[in-house]
Amino acid sequence: MATKCTGCGPGYKSPLDAMKGPREEIVYLPCIYRNTGIQKPDYLATVDVDPKSPTYCQVIHRLPMPNLNDELHHSGWNACSSCFGDSSKKRNRLILPSLISSRVYIVDTGTDPRAPQMHKIVEPTDIFWKTGLANPHTTHCLGNGQIMISSIGDPSGNGKGGFILLDGKTFEVVGNWELPGEAAPFGYDFWYQPRHNVMMSTEWGAPKALAYGFNLEHVKEGLYGSKIHVWDWTTHKRLQSLDLGEEGAIPLEIRFLHDPAATEGYVGCALQGTVFRFYRTPKGEWAAEKVIHVPSKKVEGWALPVMPSLITDILISLDDRFLYFSNWLHGDIRQYDITNRRNPRLAGQLFLGGSILNDGPVKVLEDPENQSQPPPRIIKGKRIPGSPQMLQLSLDGKRLYVTTSLYSGWDKQFYPEMIKEGSVMMQIDVNTANGGLKVNKNFLVDFGKEPNGPALAHELRYPGGDCTSDIWL
């Protein structure tokens, strides 16, 4: 690492510098065909989001994978702001792990950002034999040039929360990041803060339980997680496991505050609709407390008599002022002012589909929040199928991009109409002064009209980095 950051490496010197970066012009997002009945490979879509462009709001390139049923899911970079001071590093490879096949695709986005091409494929057998891990999920680049990918399982479909290391130049599998025997029972997401010598990881569930849908009995059987794991960043030892209990079941996305000096962050817990704040105590250990709860609704006409909100994706604005999350079953996105870290304040809310629409089969019998059932969301003449799920915020915090697919097995179970019609990408205008969310009625990318048939579009990435991929040292 260079001692002075001169802007010669990838990314930005600080989160606040990133907020002054250029407006996004294209985004990358994986599109999935697994579980849709269409026997075509998943692909990486490039979407034009520049309002001045003649191809605004259109898919301008598609890079198909060479295999079927990969289940592309999340993505990450070979280099980010953690390498800002290193002139030898470039953010020019997008890492695309496959959640089900356990392949990892390395995509060249540097040669032609508007038309990415395949660079290398890491085969599942390499990962299985060299790490004993499978089902890769979250990717982060490290300051030392390596790439780290969390796993959610082992090659037999059991839960296993370990970490795969790739060489940052050759993209060969190096081995495990965690020490032998230190893997967590389950895995999912992770975030690290080197200044505090800490990494946090979360738990989804065993791949064999979630592969084709959600079964509440699997939760009772202990096949889903409820813990945050605390790791020593230097020694790679697992120091603590914070059990969030029933209220914190299925903790998914975990986000430290972007300020690298911060010793706190938030995690969204799907099953009970809660957000926990995690923090370092005065004694130097880590703890967690519930700070947000979206109450379940009593319903009829649905699979169960009680419908949880199912918090899926969460993110934090680069200035650490606002927290956003999606309630994938209820159908709304929420914006919270987190200036008071322990007492987030609801600042904006917007329904974009979901399971409790006022013209649908579900009737809400009792709602602790006393909200009326929302009307369907129609954008550019299209009724939005599914529900808001993956989120990505513009660097300046003024535009929130939203896609509707969670994971093909769960999409098929909870929103079968989205399998038939495809998912969509929407844009929300954000009031960054006082809080508030408003739909951009002129923006819609309809993945129901793709050449090979309706596709499920998932996580979004900007070529220049974003608030869910970049970590500052």
Side-chain angles (χ1 to χ4, degrees), residues 204-228:
W204 186 7
K208 63 184 178 184
L210 56 87
Y212 293 101
F214 178 74
N215 183 342
L216 194 59
E217 290 301 312
H218 288 156
V219 177
K220 298 173 184 177
E221 293 168 11
L223 294 176
Y224 283 89
S226 63
K227 295 176 182 177
I228 302 175

PDB file of all heavy atoms in Angstrom, residues 204-228:
ATOM      1  N   TRP A 204     -27.425 -17.730   6.508  1.00  0.00           N
ATOM      2  CA  TRP A 204     -28.706 -17.965   5.829  1.00  0.00           C
ATOM      3  C   TRP A 204     -29.190 -19.344   6.256  1.00  0.00           C
ATOM      4  O   TRP A 204     -29.841 -19.485   7.278  1.00  0.00           O
ATOM      5  CB  TRP A 204     -28.522 -17.847   4.313  1.00  0.00           C
ATOM      6  CG  TRP A 204     -29.801 -17.920   3.514  1.00  0.00           C
ATOM      7  CD1 TRP A 204     -31.087 -17.946   3.993  1.00  0.00           C
ATOM      8  CD2 TRP A 204     -29.910 -17.968   2.087  1.00  0.00           C
ATOM      9  NE1 TRP A 204     -31.983 -18.000   2.952  1.00  0.00           N
ATOM     10  CE2 TRP A 204     -31.304 -18.014   1.779  1.00  0.00           C
ATOM     11  CE3 TRP A 204     -28.988 -17.973   1.054  1.00  0.00           C
ATOM     12  CZ2 TRP A 204     -31.777 -18.065   0.457  1.00  0.00           C
ATOM     13  CZ3 TRP A 204     -29.462 -18.021  -0.267  1.00  0.00           C
ATOM     14  CH2 TRP A 204     -30.840 -18.065  -0.553  1.00  0.00           C
ATOM     15  N   GLY A 205     -28.874 -20.367   5.475  1.00  0.00           N
ATOM     16  CA  GLY A 205     -29.319 -21.699   5.846  1.00  0.00           C
ATOM     17  C   GLY A 205     -28.565 -22.752   5.054  1.00  0.00           C
ATOM     18  O   GLY A 205     -27.705 -22.450   4.227  1.00  0.00           O
ATOM     19  N   ALA A 206     -28.892 -24.015   5.308  1.00  0.00           N
ATOM     20  CA  ALA A 206     -28.238 -25.119   4.605  1.00  0.00           C
ATOM     21  C   ALA A 206     -28.736 -25.162   3.166  1.00  0.00           C
ATOM     22  O   ALA A 206     -29.944 -25.112   2.924  1.00  0.00           O
ATOM     23  CB  ALA A 206     -28.544 -26.439   5.306  1.00  0.00           C
ATOM     24  N   PRO A 207     -27.835 -25.250   2.184  1.00  0.00           N
ATOM     25  CA  PRO A 207     -28.261 -25.281   0.778  1.00  0.00           C
ATOM     26  C   PRO A 207     -29.304 -26.339   0.471  1.00  0.00           C
ATOM     27  O   PRO A 207     -30.218 -26.111  -0.323  1.00  0.00           O
ATOM     28  CB  PRO A 207     -26.949 -25.537   0.034  1.00  0.00           C
ATOM     29  CG  PRO A 207     -25.897 -24.960   0.916  1.00  0.00           C
ATOM     30  CD  PRO A 207     -26.365 -25.223   2.322  1.00  0.00           C
ATOM     31  N   LYS A 208     -29.192 -27.510   1.101  1.00  0.00           N
ATOM     32  CA  LYS A 208     -30.150 -28.581   0.811  1.00  0.00           C
ATOM     33  C   LYS A 208     -31.558 -28.229   1.301  1.00  0.00           C
ATOM     34  O   LYS A 208     -32.539 -28.778   0.804  1.00  0.00           O
ATOM     35  CB  LYS A 208     -29.689 -29.900   1.446  1.00  0.00           C
ATOM     36  CG  LYS A 208     -29.598 -29.893   2.960  1.00  0.00           C
ATOM     37  CD  LYS A 208     -29.042 -31.209   3.466  1.00  0.00           C
ATOM     38  CE  LYS A 208     -28.902 -31.221   4.995  1.00  0.00           C
ATOM     39  NZ  LYS A 208     -28.272 -32.478   5.475  1.00  0.00           N
ATOM     40  N   ALA A 209     -31.659 -27.284   2.253  1.00  0.00           N
ATOM     41  CA  ALA A 209     -32.970 -26.876   2.754  1.00  0.00           C
ATOM     42  C   ALA A 209     -33.590 -25.802   1.873  1.00  0.00           C
ATOM     43  O   ALA A 209     -34.803 -25.778   1.662  1.00  0.00           O
ATOM     44  CB  ALA A 209     -32.853 -26.376   4.192  1.00  0.00           C
ATOM     45  N   LEU A 210     -32.771 -24.887   1.379  1.00  0.00           N
ATOM     46  CA  LEU A 210     -33.327 -23.738   0.667  1.00  0.00           C
ATOM     47  C   LEU A 210     -33.287 -23.859  -0.849  1.00  0.00           C
ATOM     48  O   LEU A 210     -33.767 -22.963  -1.556  1.00  0.00           O
ATOM     49  CB  LEU A 210     -32.611 -22.464   1.108  1.00  0.00           C
ATOM     50  CG  LEU A 210     -31.079 -22.401   0.958  1.00  0.00           C
ATOM     51  CD1 LEU A 210     -30.663 -21.914  -0.407  1.00  0.00           C
ATOM     52  CD2 LEU A 210     -30.478 -21.506   2.041  1.00  0.00           C
ATOM     53  N   ALA A 211     -32.761 -24.964  -1.360  1.00  0.00           N
ATOM     54  CA  ALA A 211     -32.504 -25.074  -2.804  1.00  0.00           C
ATOM     55  C   ALA A 211     -33.752 -24.861  -3.653  1.00  0.00           C
ATOM     56  O   ALA A 211     -33.682 -24.230  -4.699  1.00  0.00           O
ATOM     57  CB  ALA A 211     -31.881 -26.434  -3.120  1.00  0.00           C
ATOM     58  N   TYR A 212     -34.894 -25.365  -3.220  1.00  0.00           N
ATOM     59  CA  TYR A 212     -36.086 -25.297  -4.074  1.00  0.00           C
ATOM     60  C   TYR A 212     -37.265 -24.569  -3.432  1.00  0.00           C
ATOM     61  O   TYR A 212     -38.353 -24.565  -3.983  1.00  0.00           O
ATOM     62  CB  TYR A 212     -36.504 -26.706  -4.513  1.00  0.00           C
ATOM     63  CG  TYR A 212     -35.478 -27.313  -5.435  1.00  0.00           C
ATOM     64  CD1 TYR A 212     -34.555 -28.251  -4.966  1.00  0.00           C
ATOM     65  CD2 TYR A 212     -35.400 -26.926  -6.768  1.00  0.00           C
ATOM     66  CE1 TYR A 212     -33.596 -28.803  -5.825  1.00  0.00           C
ATOM     67  CE2 TYR A 212     -34.443 -27.462  -7.624  1.00  0.00           C
ATOM     68  CZ  TYR A 212     -33.551 -28.393  -7.146  1.00  0.00           C
ATOM     69  OH  TYR A 212     -32.597 -28.917  -7.979  1.00  0.00           O
ATOM     70  N   GLY A 213     -37.059 -23.957  -2.301  1.00  0.00           N
ATOM     71  CA  GLY A 213     -38.151 -23.222  -1.680  1.00  0.00           C
ATOM     72  C   GLY A 213     -37.959 -23.112  -0.178  1.00  0.00           C
ATOM     73  O   GLY A 213     -37.001 -23.659   0.381  1.00  0.00           O
ATOM     74  N   PHE A 214     -38.877 -22.399   0.471  1.00  0.00           N
ATOM     75  CA  PHE A 214     -38.787 -22.196   1.913  1.00  0.00           C
ATOM     76  C   PHE A 214     -39.815 -23.064   2.634  1.00  0.00           C
ATOM     77  O   PHE A 214     -41.001 -23.069   2.280  1.00  0.00           O
ATOM     78  CB  PHE A 214     -39.013 -20.727   2.263  1.00  0.00           C
ATOM     79  CG  PHE A 214     -38.989 -20.457   3.746  1.00  0.00           C
ATOM     80  CD1 PHE A 214     -37.785 -20.471   4.435  1.00  0.00           C
ATOM     81  CD2 PHE A 214     -40.162 -20.222   4.450  1.00  0.00           C
ATOM     82  CE1 PHE A 214     -37.753 -20.240   5.803  1.00  0.00           C
ATOM     83  CE2 PHE A 214     -40.134 -19.980   5.814  1.00  0.00           C
ATOM     84  CZ  PHE A 214     -38.930 -19.994   6.488  1.00  0.00           C
ATOM     85  N   ASN A 215     -39.350 -23.793   3.639  1.00  0.00           N
ATOM     86  CA  ASN A 215     -40.220 -24.621   4.462  1.00  0.00           C
ATOM     87  C   ASN A 215     -39.991 -24.234   5.914  1.00  0.00           C
ATOM     88  O   ASN A 215     -38.880 -24.362   6.434  1.00  0.00           O
ATOM     89  CB  ASN A 215     -39.896 -26.109   4.244  1.00  0.00           C
ATOM     90  CG  ASN A 215     -40.820 -27.040   5.013  1.00  0.00           C
ATOM     91  OD1 ASN A 215     -41.481 -26.625   5.957  1.00  0.00           O
ATOM     92  ND2 ASN A 215     -40.878 -28.297   4.588  1.00  0.00           N
ATOM     93  N   LEU A 216     -41.041 -23.747   6.574  1.00  0.00           N
ATOM     94  CA  LEU A 216     -40.915 -23.281   7.956  1.00  0.00           C
ATOM     95  C   LEU A 216     -40.433 -24.389   8.887  1.00  0.00           C
ATOM     96  O   LEU A 216     -39.758 -24.128   9.887  1.00  0.00           O
ATOM     97  CB  LEU A 216     -42.255 -22.726   8.445  1.00  0.00           C
ATOM     98  CG  LEU A 216     -42.235 -21.903   9.739  1.00  0.00           C
ATOM     99  CD1 LEU A 216     -41.308 -20.692   9.604  1.00  0.00           C
ATOM    100  CD2 LEU A 216     -43.643 -21.458  10.110  1.00  0.00           C
ATOM    101  N   GLU A 217     -40.740 -25.637   8.534  1.00  0.00           N
ATOM    102  CA  GLU A 217     -40.291 -26.763   9.355  1.00  0.00           C
ATOM    103  C   GLU A 217     -38.762 -26.841   9.395  1.00  0.00           C
ATOM    104  O   GLU A 217     -38.175 -27.277  10.388  1.00  0.00           O
ATOM    105  CB  GLU A 217     -40.877 -28.076   8.830  1.00  0.00           C
ATOM    106  CG  GLU A 217     -42.370 -28.216   9.045  1.00  0.00           C
ATOM    107  CD  GLU A 217     -42.763 -28.134  10.522  1.00  0.00           C
ATOM    108  OE1 GLU A 217     -42.109 -28.821  11.340  1.00  0.00           O
ATOM    109  OE2 GLU A 217     -43.693 -27.383  10.847  1.00  0.00           O
ATOM    110  N   HIS A 218     -38.116 -26.413   8.309  1.00  0.00           N
ATOM    111  CA  HIS A 218     -36.651 -26.441   8.280  1.00  0.00           C
ATOM    112  C   HIS A 218     -36.049 -25.486   9.303  1.00  0.00           C
ATOM    113  O   HIS A 218     -34.950 -25.718   9.812  1.00  0.00           O
ATOM    114  CB  HIS A 218     -36.145 -26.098   6.871  1.00  0.00           C
ATOM    115  CG  HIS A 218     -36.380 -27.184   5.875  1.00  0.00           C
ATOM    116  ND1 HIS A 218     -36.472 -26.955   4.520  1.00  0.00           N
ATOM    117  CD2 HIS A 218     -36.534 -28.529   6.043  1.00  0.00           C
ATOM    118  CE1 HIS A 218     -36.671 -28.104   3.894  1.00  0.00           C
ATOM    119  NE2 HIS A 218     -36.712 -29.072   4.794  1.00  0.00           N
ATOM    120  N   VAL A 219     -36.758 -24.395   9.594  1.00  0.00           N
ATOM    121  CA  VAL A 219     -36.298 -23.479  10.641  1.00  0.00           C
ATOM    122  C   VAL A 219     -36.332 -24.205  11.988  1.00  0.00           C
ATOM    123  O   VAL A 219     -35.370 -24.154  12.767  1.00  0.00           O
ATOM    124  CB  VAL A 219     -37.165 -22.205  10.692  1.00  0.00           C
ATOM    125  CG1 VAL A 219     -36.712 -21.284  11.832  1.00  0.00           C
ATOM    126  CG2 VAL A 219     -37.091 -21.457   9.366  1.00  0.00           C
ATOM    127  N   LYS A 220     -37.447 -24.899  12.244  1.00  0.00           N
ATOM    128  CA  LYS A 220     -37.595 -25.634  13.502  1.00  0.00           C
ATOM    129  C   LYS A 220     -36.575 -26.762  13.617  1.00  0.00           C
ATOM    130  O   LYS A 220     -36.165 -27.132  14.716  1.00  0.00           O
ATOM    131  CB  LYS A 220     -39.018 -26.196  13.612  1.00  0.00           C
ATOM    132  CG  LYS A 220     -40.097 -25.112  13.628  1.00  0.00           C
ATOM    133  CD  LYS A 220     -41.490 -25.723  13.573  1.00  0.00           C
ATOM    134  CE  LYS A 220     -42.563 -24.654  13.489  1.00  0.00           C
ATOM    135  NZ  LYS A 220     -43.923 -25.235  13.354  1.00  0.00           N
ATOM    136  N   GLU A 221     -36.163 -27.293  12.465  1.00  0.00           N
ATOM    137  CA  GLU A 221     -35.184 -28.387  12.463  1.00  0.00           C
ATOM    138  C   GLU A 221     -33.747 -27.888  12.563  1.00  0.00           C
ATOM    139  O   GLU A 221     -32.801 -28.687  12.553  1.00  0.00           O
ATOM    140  CB  GLU A 221     -35.351 -29.220  11.176  1.00  0.00           C
ATOM    141  CG  GLU A 221     -36.665 -29.986  11.116  1.00  0.00           C
ATOM    142  CD  GLU A 221     -36.938 -30.552   9.731  1.00  0.00           C
ATOM    143  OE1 GLU A 221     -36.012 -30.524   8.883  1.00  0.00           O
ATOM    144  OE2 GLU A 221     -38.075 -31.005   9.493  1.00  0.00           O
ATOM    145  N   GLY A 222     -33.580 -26.576  12.655  1.00  0.00           N
ATOM    146  CA  GLY A 222     -32.238 -26.018  12.827  1.00  0.00           C
ATOM    147  C   GLY A 222     -31.430 -25.903  11.552  1.00  0.00           C
ATOM    148  O   GLY A 222     -30.196 -25.874  11.603  1.00  0.00           O
ATOM    149  N   LEU A 223     -32.126 -25.834  10.400  1.00  0.00           N
ATOM    150  CA  LEU A 223     -31.426 -25.753   9.120  1.00  0.00           C
ATOM    151  C   LEU A 223     -31.251 -24.313   8.634  1.00  0.00           C
ATOM    152  O   LEU A 223     -30.760 -24.084   7.525  1.00  0.00           O
ATOM    153  CB  LEU A 223     -32.160 -26.581   8.063  1.00  0.00           C
ATOM    154  CG  LEU A 223     -32.165 -28.091   8.320  1.00  0.00           C
ATOM    155  CD1 LEU A 223     -33.010 -28.823   7.279  1.00  0.00           C
ATOM    156  CD2 LEU A 223     -30.748 -28.652   8.328  1.00  0.00           C
ATOM    157  N   TYR A 224     -31.660 -23.348   9.456  1.00  0.00           N
ATOM    158  CA  TYR A 224     -31.424 -21.931   9.169  1.00  0.00           C
ATOM    159  C   TYR A 224     -30.714 -21.292  10.351  1.00  0.00           C
ATOM    160  O   TYR A 224     -30.856 -21.748  11.497  1.00  0.00           O
ATOM    161  CB  TYR A 224     -32.744 -21.200   8.885  1.00  0.00           C
ATOM    162  CG  TYR A 224     -33.296 -21.477   7.510  1.00  0.00           C
ATOM    163  CD1 TYR A 224     -34.153 -22.555   7.290  1.00  0.00           C
ATOM    164  CD2 TYR A 224     -32.949 -20.680   6.431  1.00  0.00           C
ATOM    165  CE1 TYR A 224     -34.657 -22.820   6.023  1.00  0.00           C
ATOM    166  CE2 TYR A 224     -33.450 -20.934   5.155  1.00  0.00           C
ATOM    167  CZ  TYR A 224     -34.297 -22.007   4.961  1.00  0.00           C
ATOM    168  OH  TYR A 224     -34.789 -22.272   3.705  1.00  0.00           O
ATOM    169  N   GLY A 225     -29.954 -20.241  10.086  1.00  0.00           N
ATOM    170  CA  GLY A 225     -29.116 -19.638  11.111  1.00  0.00           C
ATOM    171  C   GLY A 225     -29.752 -18.459  11.826  1.00  0.00           C
ATOM    172  O   GLY A 225     -30.797 -17.940  11.418  1.00  0.00           O
ATOM    173  N   SER A 226     -29.099 -18.009  12.901  1.00  0.00           N
ATOM    174  CA  SER A 226     -29.563 -16.852  13.670  1.00  0.00           C
ATOM    175  C   SER A 226     -28.403 -16.112  14.332  1.00  0.00           C
ATOM    176  O   SER A 226     -28.609 -15.383  15.296  1.00  0.00           O
ATOM    177  CB  SER A 226     -30.566 -17.295  14.750  1.00  0.00           C
ATOM    178  OG  SER A 226     -29.933 -18.162  15.680  1.00  0.00           O
ATOM    179  N   LYS A 227     -27.178 -16.272  13.794  1.00  0.00           N
ATOM    180  CA  LYS A 227     -26.011 -15.711  14.481  1.00  0.00           C
ATOM    181  C   LYS A 227     -25.209 -14.767  13.593  1.00  0.00           C
ATOM    182  O   LYS A 227     -25.182 -14.906  12.368  1.00  0.00           O
ATOM    183  CB  LYS A 227     -25.086 -16.833  14.964  1.00  0.00           C
ATOM    184  CG  LYS A 227     -25.699 -17.730  16.034  1.00  0.00           C
ATOM    185  CD  LYS A 227     -24.769 -18.874  16.401  1.00  0.00           C
ATOM    186  CE  LYS A 227     -25.418 -19.796  17.441  1.00  0.00           C
ATOM    187  NZ  LYS A 227     -24.553 -20.948  17.762  1.00  0.00           N
ATOM    188  N   ILE A 228     -24.559 -13.808  14.269  1.00  0.00           N
ATOM    189  CA  ILE A 228     -23.485 -13.023  13.660  1.00  0.00           C
ATOM    190  C   ILE A 228     -22.185 -13.585  14.219  1.00  0.00           C
ATOM    191  O   ILE A 228     -22.045 -13.772  15.426  1.00  0.00           O
ATOM    192  CB  ILE A 228     -23.578 -11.530  14.033  1.00  0.00           C
ATOM    193  CG1 ILE A 228     -24.908 -10.927  13.618  1.00  0.00           C
ATOM    194  CG2 ILE A 228     -22.421 -10.755  13.411  1.00  0.00           C
ATOM    195  CD1 ILE A 228     -25.074  -9.487  14.090  1.00  0.00           C
TER     196      ILE A 228
END
